[in-house]
Amino acid sequence: MTERLVIRRPDDWHVHLRDGAMLEAVVAYTARQFSRAIIMPNLAPPVTTAEAAGAYRQRILAAAGKGTDFTPLMTCYLTDTLDPGEVERGHASGVFTACKLYPANATTNSSYGVTDIQNIYPVLDVMQRIGMPLLVHGEVTDSDIDIFDREAVFIDRVLSKVIADFPDLKVVFEHITTSEAVDFVHAAGANVAATITPHHLHINRNAIFEGGIRPHQYCLPVAKREKHRLALRRAATSGSPKFFLGTDTAPHARSAKESACGCAGIFNAPFALESYAAVFEEEGALDTFEAFASEHGPRFYGLPLNEGQVVLERQEVVVPDHVGPDDANLTPFLAGKSLHWKFIPHTE
Ligand code: NCD
Ligand code: ZN
């Protein structure tokens, strides 16, 4: 039995760090496990200019603290009226790594999102030309489409068209949840990849209703049937360079989750690597874990692989019920459960 996993330092390609007190409370969890993270721009108001992204990056670095070896990679929130010149300048100056497409009203703080994909075609044109990745929240928002079908319908109605119209655009289909998404990414060119979260590898939709309503298992895109979870597990552990680590850690205060209308988002940063390692071990695929966590992402983004290593040691860890400054603010993913790996921070 493997007792110790030593892997190249990993990155997290999909993170919500928020701002203000919440940023202060959560940034260390991501910064201790990951070298770089793609920072989602769905603040209120959203990050739509290079200036705002630069200022947000400074706040993240300040919250992470001096001496922390952590690089936030910033993204631009696409709106119907965004100037393609702003995207191009922001990318050229090194502030924007990628752009994020939220269909309007698809999820938390997405009301400024895109109402019709045609509205951002001039931006996509620029992004294709300069090799800047488009990160996609892939769900239609039509209320007449069943919530469990919204990702599959998005592929048919929107994503297939974007890829046909921009054949060289780099696209990351974020937090995929369905076998349809897995099949779509496999069938597309090398310029199309996907992130997979730990929670979609661990839970299916039953978890949201297990003995009562479970707000801490609720996120968007919502977890699907078991057959989809199994398809995601096969994709993540396959060794295909098209699939890589993106936690979609999305903290909301307990009061906002445990509510009559609870927010979508699962806070998985505190035990992110341990929870992925559990899946790879269950699948008998620890040999592909390092590539998923530390190689496929940077290669897709065209960034260097990290130096240094992190270690996971076989040891039982129990996920606490609550974490955060007052010990009662946030409920982590898998609260109360045991994991069998302990994370040891990186060494040079
Ligand atoms: C995210 C959030 O809270 O910002 N929520 C979620 O359920 N994943 C937004 C998102 O990525 O959809
Ligand atoms: Zn997200």
Side-chain angles (χ1 to χ4, degrees):
M1 203 190 254
T2 315
E3 293 300 317
R4 205 174 137 85
L5 278 174
V6 182
I7 63 166
R8 184 185 289 280
R9 241 185 128 198
D11 304 299
D12 186 342
W13 300 95
H14 187 128
V15 172
H16 298 270
L17 286 183
R18 314 302 190 203
D19 212 344
M22 185 66 93
L23 167 63
E24 301 275 343
V26 301
V27 66
Y29 293 109
T30 295
R32 77 189 269 274
Q33 294 208 335
F34 298 102
S35 172
R36 297 168 288 198
I38 284 277
I39 309 301
M40 289 296 137
N42 62 330
L43 304 181
V47 178
T48 55
T49 63
E51 189 186 351
Y56 184 31
R57 179 165 65 184
Q58 286 313 117
R59 296 198 295 282
I60 293 168
L61 290 170
K66 272 205 180 65
T68 311
D69 182 10
F70 174 65
T71 305
L73 302 172
M74 310 309 291
T75 58
C76 178
Y77 181 116
L78 296 174
T79 67
D80 283 342
T81 55
L82 193 73
D83 169 16
E86 181 69 15
V87 169
E88 187 164 12
R89 283 189 297 276
H91 187 252
S93 69
V95 179
F96 287 143
T97 296
C99 290
K100 179 71 191 280
L101 166 62
Y102 289 104
N105 304 316
T107 186
T108 308
N109 292 338
S110 62
S111 61
Y112 296 88
V114 175
T115 60
D116 180 340
I117 192 74
Q118 297 280 346
N119 293 337
I120 59 164
Y121 266 34
V123 177
L124 298 185
D125 220 25
V126 166
M127 292 172 67
Q128 175 172 254
R129 174 163 56 74
I130 64 180
M132 184 180 187
L134 174 70
L135 316 183
V136 178
H137 183 109
E139 289 190 288
V140 294
T141 56
D142 315 51
S143 57
D144 60 326
I145 305 291
D146 190 280
I147 189 169
F148 294 101
D149 296 335
R150 287 180 190 171
E151 184 174 281
V153 172
F154 182 87
I155 295 170
D156 290 342
R157 290 194 187 166
V158 184
L159 198 53
S160 309
K161 197 169 149 30
V162 168
I163 279 161
D165 290 342
F166 298 93
D168 295 324
L169 182 65
K170 279 192 186 184
V171 175
V172 184
F173 196 169
E174 298 291 333
H175 43 51
I176 58 169
T177 62
T178 58
S179 64
E180 288 88 345
V182 169
D183 293 345
F184 179 82
V185 171
H186 270 306
N191 56 313
V192 178
T195 53
I196 304 181
T197 75
H199 42 282
H200 292 112
L201 295 169
H202 273 269
I203 64 168
N204 65 31
R205 65 192 197 176
N206 288 334
I208 309 164
F209 308 104
E210 200 186 335
I213 191 91
R214 300 285 181 174
H216 299 291
Q217 312 282 23
Y218 172 59
C219 65
L220 287 170
V222 70
K224 307 296 194 295
R225 286 178 181 276
E226 179 65 359
K227 68 171 182 187
H228 297 292
R229 184 181 78 103
L230 297 178
L232 297 171
R233 284 187 160 226
R234 284 192 295 274
T237 58
S238 67
S240 164
K242 289 172 153 276
F243 300 98
F244 45 84
L245 188 159
T247 60
D248 192 21
T249 180
H252 293 277
R254 279 181 65 203
S255 55
K257 294 287 292 173
E258 298 170 7
S259 149
C261 185
C263 292
I266 291 179
F267 178 52
N268 58 32
F271 296 88
L273 276 180
E274 297 91 323
S275 61
Y276 278 114
V279 170
F280 279 72
E281 178 160 46
E282 283 160 19
E283 295 297 317
L286 284 175
D287 56 325
T288 62
F289 181 51
E290 180 176 38
F292 175 81
S294 315
E295 295 172 4
H296 297 162
R299 290 209 176 106
F300 184 85
Y301 273 82
L303 294 170
L305 304 189
N306 294 317
E307 300 295 328
Q309 294 173 321
V310 296
V311 175
L312 289 162
E313 275 178 3
R314 185 173 301 282
Q315 194 178 312
E316 173 139 339
V317 291
V318 179
V319 179
D321 289 338
H322 309 298
V323 299
D326 56 5
D327 274 351
N329 192 27
L330 292 161
T331 300
F333 180 54
L334 299 175
K337 300 257 165 48
S338 285
L339 287 163
H340 303 286
W341 293 102
K342 183 177 166 55
F343 173 79
I344 316 284
H346 82 284
T347 51
E348 287 311 323

